[in-house]
């Protein structure tokens, strides 16, 4: 032991005590999904506080020279039959009463009880030092090492912090209908018990409409249980928005749902609204589970296994390489589904998984913050099969019983934190859109693949837009790079129109038994809608030097290896409120897009002259600002859009009114510079006029270091008011324009001046349609 004490003394200067702000990774390996529960446990560097599984700790020691690691192993305790009567001397574990994580009444991050073993390990010989061993060592060693051990164990791990951040699933807002809710004086009085659905006689999951007192059953769940949708149908017929769940009314409140707002809400006037129908809230007792309790019950089911069982069937679990599940982190289904799909694509497999050893060898000192390392870690975790094994039954003490149906799986906490960092949406724990995340992730891949293979090329394709001036019949051709095809949903092409009309007629006549019918739209109709020419009513024609009508046709100038298709199921109502279309679309197994291939300029076709439209500026050269319709800008701002985006919309549509400006906004919301300041031709801040001296040399150097020329960096900074982050986003969204800028300062190309090949442009692959 004296020898170990000497070793500890020699490395004492490298052993740190965690301070506030230090990131302690004690739940997950930086390079794999190993944890303290994994075979071999987790080794936490006592200097950097990075965690490593047993297969990577030696590599970290060899690279960093660090020798002292805190070795944490956890073994799951067997669960007792009765959670409320623990015979082990431990207090009974409280069941969650709140739909939240890591806060009082919510879900405990540590769902299971573990026996924990902690000791210091000195590499490379893996000499072990326990707390008991420390007691025999010199005071200076004992004090420093003990403080470090205690600090690491007491600190919140990064994964724990991520789990508890910002997720409270039962926060409810006051309904906008509550204050002035209309209640009918129809004499209806509701008894304190014995309720039935007025349509189907169902006696559970009953909701009373707070406008007319009608008692109807709730929604039908995915497995056929729950109700028969009669309360929802009643709202669709009457428009009466609020309903209270009978059986949940107590003196403390009740479940109130707003069909109009499509959410659980608060009703500050609930006692008054209930009293209108003879219900004394102060005397009511709860007889049914609240919606929160139902959601908690669903979340408590082990591994969500019961949730995914098909009604009446038992699913056979699959294990092995490529069959690894990802745990839902409370809202991460959008991320999980996108990454599962991406790692079925050979380009992503070869880029990140085949080269994982080299990627890990080249990783920086903090691999938790390195994009390539974390993507490779996730890809290997999904494809290797190491985490696709049956999870042991926590009640099985000697391994004799069958394993549980679920698998160990992986929890992408470190990956989610990295790819969402700094993003206003993906850094939160709110629900997100998978299509938006895919584009966000592809943008990150593009940034990190300026040299070497770029797997996003598998999705990249060229779009050709052909615009024909209807007055001169001259044409204009443009090409742009895209990654996703957005297909419109032509509701008028439904194949079950008669059935839809009949259901609508029955609802209008007050038939409460009218079924809910979903529109059946052929996929071919969506593709046809994409190929239809679009009418442009405010097109400025350079041939006639005036605004006229034109047609725009969109075609594929190249076909990618993998085509990502988004069905545009969201539309805007007359009040500009987003609405989701309830449609069913059958996608064919085989898709032939050959008919949508671009043809380029046709024989004998004349092109529109390359003349820019006149700028929207006053003749007064002293006035630098555009003449914009302030009322239109104000209307757009009131809808919640950024001021600069509203100014751009009015400017680029030529002050032609709110509809044209709104259409421009809808078409440009995904632009990286959507909210960037409006830059005008001829203004001192416009592209091509800002003197280079006014740009930050540091910003220029940063962008040039990414593989761009100085001219390209200058153009990006000028276009984004010298803001580095926006310039980087801008440059990656304008690669096709920038690749033509191959002349650097002094008349030499970027390749000549830097002695290497110019950075790759938006290369596209072209295959059969």
């Amino acid at each position: 032991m004296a020898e170990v004490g000497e070793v500890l003394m020699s490395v004492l200067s490298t052993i740190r005590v965690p301070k506030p702000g230090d990131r302690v990774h004690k739940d997950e390996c930086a390079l794999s999904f190993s944890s303290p529960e994994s075979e071999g446990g987790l080794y936490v560097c006592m200097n950097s506080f990075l965690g490593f599984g047993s297969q990577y700790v030696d590599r970290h020691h060899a690279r960093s020279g660090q020798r002292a690691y805190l070795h944490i192993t956890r073994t799951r305790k067997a669960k007792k039959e009765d959670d409320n009567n623990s015979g082990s001397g431990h207090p009974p574990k409280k069941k969650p009463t709140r739909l939240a994580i890591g806060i009082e009444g919510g879900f405990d991050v540590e769902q299971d009880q573990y026996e924990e073993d902690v000791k210091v390990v000195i590499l490379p010989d893996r000499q072990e030092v326990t707390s008991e061993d420390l007691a025999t060592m010199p005071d200076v060693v004992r004090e420093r090492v003990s403080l470090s051990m205690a600090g690491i164990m007491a600190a919140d791990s990064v994964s724990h912090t991520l789990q508890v951040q910002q997720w409270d699933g039962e926060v409810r807002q006051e309904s906008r209908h509550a204050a002035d809710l209309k209640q009918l004086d129809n004499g209806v009085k509701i008894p304190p018990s014995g309720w039935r659905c007025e349509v189907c006689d169902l006696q559970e999951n009953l909701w009373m409409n707070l406008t007319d007192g009608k008692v109807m059953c709730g929604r039908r769940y995915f497995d056929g249980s729950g109700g028969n949708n009669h309360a929802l149908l009643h709202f669709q017929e009457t428009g009466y928005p609020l309903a209270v769940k009978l059986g949940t009314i107590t003196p403390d409140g009740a479940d109130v749902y707003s069909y109009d707002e499509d959410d659980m809400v608060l009703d500050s006037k609930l006692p008054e609204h209930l009293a209108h129908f003879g219900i004394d809230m102060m005397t009511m007792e709860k007889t049914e589970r609240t919606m929160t309790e139902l959601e908690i019950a669903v979340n408590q089911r082990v591994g969500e296994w019961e949730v995914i069982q098909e009604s009446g069937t038992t699913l056979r679990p699959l294990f092995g390489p490529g069959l690894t599940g990802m745990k839902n982190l409370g809202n991460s289904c959008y991320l999980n589904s996108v990454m599962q799909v991406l790692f079925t694509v050979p380009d992503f497999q070869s880029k990140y998984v085949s080269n994982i050893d080299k990627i890990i060898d080249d990783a920086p000192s903090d691999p938790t913050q390195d994009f390539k390392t974390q993507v490779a870690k996730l890809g290997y975790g999904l494809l290797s099969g190491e985490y696709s094994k049956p999870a042991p039954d926590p009640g099985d003490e000697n391994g004799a019983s069958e394993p549980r149906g679920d698998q160990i799986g992986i929890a992408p906490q470190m990956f989610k934190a990295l790819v969402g960092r700094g993003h206003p949406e993906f850094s939160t724990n709110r629900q997100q859109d998978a299509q938006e995340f895919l584009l966000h992730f592809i943008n990150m891949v593009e940034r990190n693949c300026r040299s070497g293979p770029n797997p996003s090329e598998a999705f990249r394709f060229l779009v050709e837009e052909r615009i024909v001036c209807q007055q001169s019949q001259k044409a204009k051709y443009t090409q742009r790079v895209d990654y996703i095809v957005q297909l419109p949903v032509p509701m008028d092409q439904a194949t079950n129109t008669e059935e839809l009309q009949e259901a609508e007629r029955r609802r209008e006549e007050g038939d409460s038994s009218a079924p809910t019918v979903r529109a059946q739209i052929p996929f071919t109709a969506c593709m046809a809608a994409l190929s239809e020419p679009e009418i442009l009513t405010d097109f400025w024609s350079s041939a006639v030097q005036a605004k006229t009508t034109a047609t725009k046709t969109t075609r594929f100038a190249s076909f990618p290896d993998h085509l990502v298709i988004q069905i545009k199921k969201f539309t805007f109502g007359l009040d500009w409120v987003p609405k989701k279309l309830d449609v069913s679309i059958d996608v064919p197994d085989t898709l032939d897009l050959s008919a949508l291939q671009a043809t380029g300029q046709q024989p004998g076709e004349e092109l529109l002259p390359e003349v820019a439209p006149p700028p929207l500026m006053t003749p007064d050269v002293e006035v630098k600002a555009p003449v914009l319709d302030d009322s239109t800008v104000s209307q757009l701002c009131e809808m919640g859009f950024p001021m600069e985006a509203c100014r751009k919309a009015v400017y680029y549509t030529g002050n032609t009114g709110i509809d044209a400006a709104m259409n421009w906004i809808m078409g440009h919301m995904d632009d990286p510079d959507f909210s960037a300041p409006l830059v005008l031709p001829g203004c001192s801040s416009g592209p091509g006029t800002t003197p280079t001296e006014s740009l930050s040399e540091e910003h220029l150097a940063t962008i040039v270091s990414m593989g761009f020329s100085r001219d390209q960096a200058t153009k990006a900074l000028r276009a984004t008011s010298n803001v580095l982050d926006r310039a980087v986003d801008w440059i990656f969204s304008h690669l096709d324009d920038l690749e033509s800028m191959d002349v650097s300062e002094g008349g030499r190309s970027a390749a000549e001046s830097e002695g290497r090949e110019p950075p790759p442009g938006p290369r596209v692959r072209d295959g059969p349609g």
Side-chain angles (χ1 to χ4, degrees), residues 216-221 226-234 236 516:
M216 305 276 189
C217 60
R219 296 176 191 256
R220 181 181 294 112
Y221 302 145
N228 295 312
N229 293 324
H230 289 133
L232 172 62
L233 293 172
H234 182 63
Q236 293 171 345
T516 301

Side-chain angles (χ1 to χ4, degrees), residues 652 673 677-691 695 714-721 730:
Y652 287 118
D673 54 354
L678 172 63
V679 179
L680 303 170
C683 289
S684 61
S685 60
T689 60
T690 304
L695 298 178
T714 299
K715 184 171 182 179
L717 287 167
R718 285 175 177 169
T720 54
S721 303
W730 186 92

Side-chain angles (χ1 to χ4, degrees), residues 260-275:
D260 181 55
E261 295 158 287
D262 195 21
D263 207 352
M264 301 297 298
V265 295
L266 297 177
D267 177 3
S268 56
K269 290 189 174 182
L270 184 59
E272 176 186 325
H273 293 154
L274 292 173

Side-chain angles (χ1 to χ4, degrees), residues 21 46 180 251-252 257 267 277-278 382 424 494 528 591 629 631 646 699 707 744:
M46 298 180 79
D180 304 309
D252 298 322
Y257 189 82
D267 177 3
F277 296 108
L382 289 175
L591 187 61
D629 184 343
S631 65
C646 300
H699 291 356
S744 185

